[in-house]
Amino acid sequence: MTLRIAFMASNAPVAQTARAALIGRYGDVAPEEAEVVVALGGDGFMLRTLHLTQELAVPVYGMNRGTIGFLMNEYSETDLLDRLRHAEEAVINPLSMRAVDQAGHLHRALAINEVSLLRAGPQAAKLKITVDGRVRLAELVCDGALLATPAGSTAYNYSAHGPILPIGADVLALTAIAAFRPRRWRGALLPKTAMVRFDVVEPDKRPVMADADSISIMDIDWVEIRSEPSIRHRILFDPGHGLEERLISEQFA
């Protein structure tokens, strides 16, 4: 029995060429009618595809036509149906961000990898960190800080020397970016259920921006972040190359 597949591709010529070739071989349906979505591009496009299809509850299988492809499978035009039928599924929950800027406007966004706060001026940011209503760090002087999911722990979080988290771990990584005071503070592991709040200290003098999977908000006053269990992203991987194995392998690279 043929699977109903929706092929989605980034604007890169190599991705568009791959989409045309795959449609010619396997056909194509609208995402709303699909049993599986195949995303062609890099990790950035995979994240966009997951956001676009989150209301459909349909699994997404990525094939790398981009640069890094941590969330993608190897590209091949042959045996796609067999690969999809035998694929391993990983389910991840995004982070939900509420942010208020200095003008008092409320912004909302979802992030599959991480929510990051970054200084937006020449001076270091000053952040107050509260977890579940309790102030845990009254002042962090830094270039920024981020809260990452297990799926996103190998991305910006790992580059900032944060820990890689097992995909099934019910924890989030809170990681400082170039911390100046406390100089040796490297972050914390928090329960997945935690509500994390960042308040910007001296926002006029030390402006800060927030970013949730490339959705950027300038001149932040405060940000609240929590995991969103009601949204389940289903990602498919070839057998033996699932997200858990990739997270382990990354630590021995």
Side-chain angles (χ1 to χ4, degrees):
M1 183 176 178
T2 301
L3 287 171
R4 298 191 306 275
I5 306 172
F7 291 98
M8 302 175 67
S10 72
N11 293 326
V14 66
Q16 290 293 324
T17 299
R19 181 175 184 270
L22 290 165
I23 289 175
R25 186 183 289 257
Y26 300 103
D28 183 47
V29 300
E32 295 79 8
E33 301 172 1
E35 296 173 87
V36 60
V37 170
V38 172
L40 303 164
D43 284 339
F45 183 73
M46 182 63 161
L47 293 177
R48 290 197 296 274
T49 302
L50 292 171
H51 283 297
L52 289 171
T53 60
Q54 69 185 31
E55 303 296 334
L56 303 179
V58 62
V60 179
Y61 178 89
M63 285 201 287
N64 191 13
R65 295 283 81 187
T67 304
I68 298 176
F70 184 81
L71 297 173
M72 315 300 275
N73 300 284
E74 290 186 6
Y75 177 76
S76 175
E77 294 178 16
T78 61
D79 300 326
L80 177 60
L81 296 180
D82 187 61
R83 293 170 74 184
L84 290 174
R85 290 192 178 102
H86 293 91
E88 302 173 353
E89 181 174 301
V91 177
I92 59 177
N93 305 117
L95 298 172
S96 174
M97 179 187 78
R98 296 172 65 243
V100 169
D101 61 27
Q102 292 184 54
H105 300 135
L106 176 65
H107 306 264
R108 298 178 185 270
L110 295 172
I112 295 166
N113 273 358
E114 78 279 318
V115 173
S116 56
L117 278 73
L118 304 167
R119 75 176 192 180
Q123 292 187 297
K126 285 188 178 181
L127 304 174
K128 180 174 72 173
I129 301 176
T130 304
V131 180
D132 291 332
R134 181 175 176 181
V135 176
R136 291 292 183 175
L137 199 56
E139 186 176 276
L140 172 64
V141 183
C142 57
D143 278 354
L146 61 87
L147 190 69
T149 66
S153 63
T154 62
Y156 194 7
N157 172 71
Y158 193 38
S159 297
H161 307 291
I164 292 180
L165 306 176
I167 189 61
D170 288 330
V171 296
L172 304 172
L174 172 58
T175 300
I177 303 169
F180 180 68
R181 289 286 186 273
R183 189 177 293 276
R184 297 188 181 275
W185 190 76
R186 299 292 291 274
L189 295 178
L190 302 175
K192 188 176 180 179
T193 56
M195 170 69 79
V196 181
R197 177 177 171 121
F198 295 94
D199 285 277
V200 180
V201 182
E202 302 179 36
D204 293 329
K205 181 180 179 181
R206 304 171 184 268
V208 171
M209 63 172 287
D211 186 276
D213 282 355
S214 298
I215 298 174
S216 299
I217 302 161
M218 303 302 296
D219 298 324
I220 290 299
D221 189 27
W222 59 262
V223 174
E224 288 183 344
I225 312 162
R226 64 178 178 85
S227 181
E228 183 50 77
S230 65
I231 299 177
R232 303 171 73 252
H233 294 293
R234 301 167 60 197
I235 309 178
L236 300 179
F237 295 96
D238 290 331
H241 299 277
L243 196 53
E244 183 173 352
E245 170 60 28
R246 293 172 189 227
L247 291 169
I248 294 174
S249 297
E250 188 74 14
Q251 298 174 81
F252 294 90

